[in-house]
Every structure is written in C-alpha cells, then in structure tokens.
Amino acid sequence: MSSPDIGSILESSKELDRVRKEEEDVLSEINKLHKKLQTKYGYSSLEAILFALVPCRFREAPEVVEKPGDNSLARLRLLYTQAKDLSENEASISNLLISQIDALLPTGPQGQTRRRIGKEGNEQKRKRVKTESDISRLTPSMRHQLETCASLKGEQVAARVTPRNADKDEWFVVKVIHFDKESKEFEVLDEEPGDDEESSGQRQYKLPMGNIIPFPKINDPSSAPDFPPGKHVLAVYPGTTALYKATVVQGHRRRKTEDYVLEFDDDEEDGSLPQRTVPFHKVVPLPDGHRQ
C-alpha cells in the first residue's frame, strides 16, 4: 500500500481520538447535571439516568418542574443528543478504520490459514474482544449506566426475586455479588432467607437490571428522595429483610433522626394501621405496577 493510504489511517485514528475526547467532555457535563438534579430533586444518579434514557416501567416517574430561568433539563437533553451523535460518529470512523486496516492484511490462502488458526487457538480471546467491542459501541450514557451498576458490587440493594407473571411481587434486601455488563444481569445473594424457605442456607439469584433498586447511601441522607406525606413507597419492614408497600406519614428530612414514619399496607392492629419508623436508607420508590 502506498504512503498516502498509511497517512489516511493515521488521520482517521486522530479523528477517532478527537471524537472520543469530545465524548468524555460531554459525559463529564452530563454527570455534573445529574448531581445538580440530584441535589435539587432528591433522585440518585442511577435513577436520573434511567428517567432520562428509558420509559420508567418499574418505578414512578418523578415530578420535575423547572424554576423560571433554570434550563437544566433542556441542557441535559441537548447533551444526550450530542452524546448520541458523537457515538454514531465514533462508530462510522471505527468502521472506516476497519476497512482501511483490512486493506493492509494479506489475502488469499495464507491469510485464510492465519484466520483459521487464530479462531481455533484464541477462542476465549476472541470472545473477550467481542464483548469489549459491544460495550464500546454503546452511547457514553449507557456505558456510564453499566459502570454504575457494576459499582454496586458488595452493596445491599432492593431486589424483586419473583418473575413478572407471579401473583405478587416479593422484594428482599440482597447483596450484589457481580454485575455482568454483557448480559446486563446482577448476581445477588439473599444472606438471610426467611423461616418459610425450603433451605435455611443463603440463596443466590441472577436478576435483570429492572429487578434491582439501589438504596440511598447510608452516610448521605441527601441521596434519599424527599417523599411527601401520602406518597406510596417500598420499604423494609422493621426487624425483617423484606420490603412491602407503605404510605409516608412524615418525611425523613423533617425529622432529626433521618427516619421516615410509615404505615405499611396489611399491617392492621386493632382496626388501625400503626405508624412505624424506618431509616431513610431502607426506603425506595414504589415500582410501577407493584403487586402485593
């Protein structure tokens, strides 16, 4: 191949580096706006990403109203659009580079033999490269979402362990063992199964992203949504590791103890629902369509 062809590959590589740098800058701005919206409206970074990216099918959508002169949401939408365009541009340049590099590879029987030996001797490496390539084709925001899920390893989260077609939803406190970015599945551990379990040992589950809701940070009350009185939530029942539907009586930000005062459904005693206190870091939004 002539020198100008080599030069074109170098130019394409420089352009790819420029696009990726611009993607990083846009992602940084998106993260800053996520933190701003979290402070203003009380939603976690993961929730802000889910609300912005997909229809909220497993939790109630937030009521977000911009103040006059505040263009945060419009700015966030513009940044997502820029991230999408940059990601598509990155894919186009990558495809161009692939075609340019392919032109440098030997053709004919020798090249075919090399590819056949590589396929037989490096199967695991080929699979790993394919997985990394699949992830790199995602938008910066989706990659950030996967990284956020992976960062939950070792933390306790709320998890629905029943299938979607079950008569009722069962939610437990579980510990995240691993998150698979390729399958987008969590591997979690139920460390304290109830007395009604067939086995008294700990149980493991593989669950999709939609079955997991992160708890607010235990050392950061500001990371918890400020649910108003009358709001339906999902909360850990005192003394258990199970979550049930409850109604907010008093929000945690109005109490010095940082606890919510809740009334749990089906918790009737002497004809009335007792009010129970639950720590702010054990309360999450009620998933849309919850069945109890």
Side-chain angles (χ1 to χ4, degrees):
M1 178 174 286
S2 62
S3 178
D5 293 323
I6 296 293
S8 65
I9 292 178
L10 294 177
E11 288 299 322
S12 297
S13 299
K14 291 179 181 178
E15 180 65 11
L16 183 60
D17 289 339
R18 185 195 66 79
V19 170
R20 287 177 171 172
K21 178 61 171 61
E22 192 171 346
E23 281 182 315
E24 292 177 358
D25 293 340
V26 171
L27 180 57
S28 177
E29 290 299 317
I30 289 175
N31 290 337
K32 290 178 182 178
L33 274 178
H34 282 172
K35 292 180 180 179
K36 178 180 177 181
L37 292 174
Q38 174 186 344
T39 302
K40 181 179 296 183
Y41 302 114
Y43 288 91
S44 69
S45 297
L46 179 58
E47 289 170 329
I49 295 171
L50 294 177
F51 292 144
L53 287 177
V54 297
C56 204
R57 296 180 178 177
F58 56 89
R59 62 182 71 191
E60 295 180 358
E63 297 178 357
V64 178
V65 180
E66 289 186 318
K67 297 180 180 179
D70 185 357
N71 64 344
S72 298
L73 294 181
R75 174 64 176 162
L76 185 61
R77 185 181 186 279
L78 176 61
L79 288 171
Y80 276 128
T81 302
Q82 292 177 351
K84 175 179 176 294
D85 293 340
L86 287 170
S87 178
E88 292 174 351
N89 193 13
E90 179 185 356
S92 298
I93 298 173
S94 297
N95 289 333
L96 175 61
L97 273 168
I98 291 173
S99 64
Q100 291 173 330
I101 294 174
D102 281 345
L104 290 174
L105 297 177
T107 58
Q110 182 179 1
Q112 293 172 0
T113 301
R114 181 182 301 171
R115 286 193 293 272
R116 181 168 62 252
I117 293 174
K119 180 177 180 180
E120 295 173 354
N122 299 285
E123 185 67 20
Q124 290 302 116
K125 181 178 180 180
R126 185 179 64 83
K127 288 182 179 180
R128 183 171 65 253
V129 171
K130 179 179 182 300
T131 299
E132 293 173 350
S133 176
D134 289 342
I135 294 176
S136 67
R137 286 197 295 268
L138 297 173
T139 65
S141 297
M142 285 300 295
R143 290 203 298 270
H144 183 264
Q145 181 184 356
L146 295 179
E147 292 295 337
T148 301
C149 290
S151 69
L152 294 174
K153 181 178 179 180
E155 294 190 14
Q156 289 188 332
V157 297
R160 184 181 66 212
V161 298
T162 49
R164 291 186 179 276
N165 58 356
D167 294 335
K168 64 177 183 178
D169 296 337
E170 295 183 355
W171 288 78
F172 300 137
V173 177
V174 300
K175 181 179 180 180
V176 175
I177 301 175
H178 176 68
F179 175 72
D180 190 323
K181 294 181 182 179
E182 182 178 5
S183 65
K184 298 180 177 61
E185 282 188 332
F186 282 92
E187 184 176 351
V188 300
L189 177 67
D190 183 2
E191 299 177 286
E192 300 181 21
D195 295 335
D196 57 343
E197 299 286 352
E198 296 180 0
S199 173
S200 59
Q202 298 177 337
R203 303 186 65 180
Q204 293 189 18
Y205 301 90
K206 285 189 175 182
L207 303 173
M209 293 171 61
N211 284 37
I212 299 294
I213 303 179
F215 285 119
K217 300 295 183 182
I218 189 172
N219 58 349
D220 184 11
S222 64
S223 67
D226 188 17
F227 296 117
K231 185 74 170 179
H232 296 309
V233 296
L234 199 63
V236 178
Y237 190 85
T240 75
T241 57
L243 292 92
Y244 299 96
K245 180 181 177 182
T247 303
V248 175
V249 177
Q250 189 172 352
H252 79 96
R253 295 184 185 176
R254 294 173 176 81
R255 292 171 53 86
K256 295 181 179 180
T257 59
E258 301 294 356
D259 293 337
Y260 279 101
V261 177
L262 307 175
E263 290 180 349
F264 285 87
D265 289 14
D266 303 324
D267 190 29
E268 186 173 334
E269 292 182 0
D270 299 327
S272 62
L273 294 176
Q275 297 183 356
R276 304 188 186 277
T277 58
V278 178
F280 73 90
H281 56 88
K282 295 298 183 182
V283 181
V284 297
L286 182 72
D288 189 30
H290 177 73
R291 294 164 295 184
Q292 181 169 313

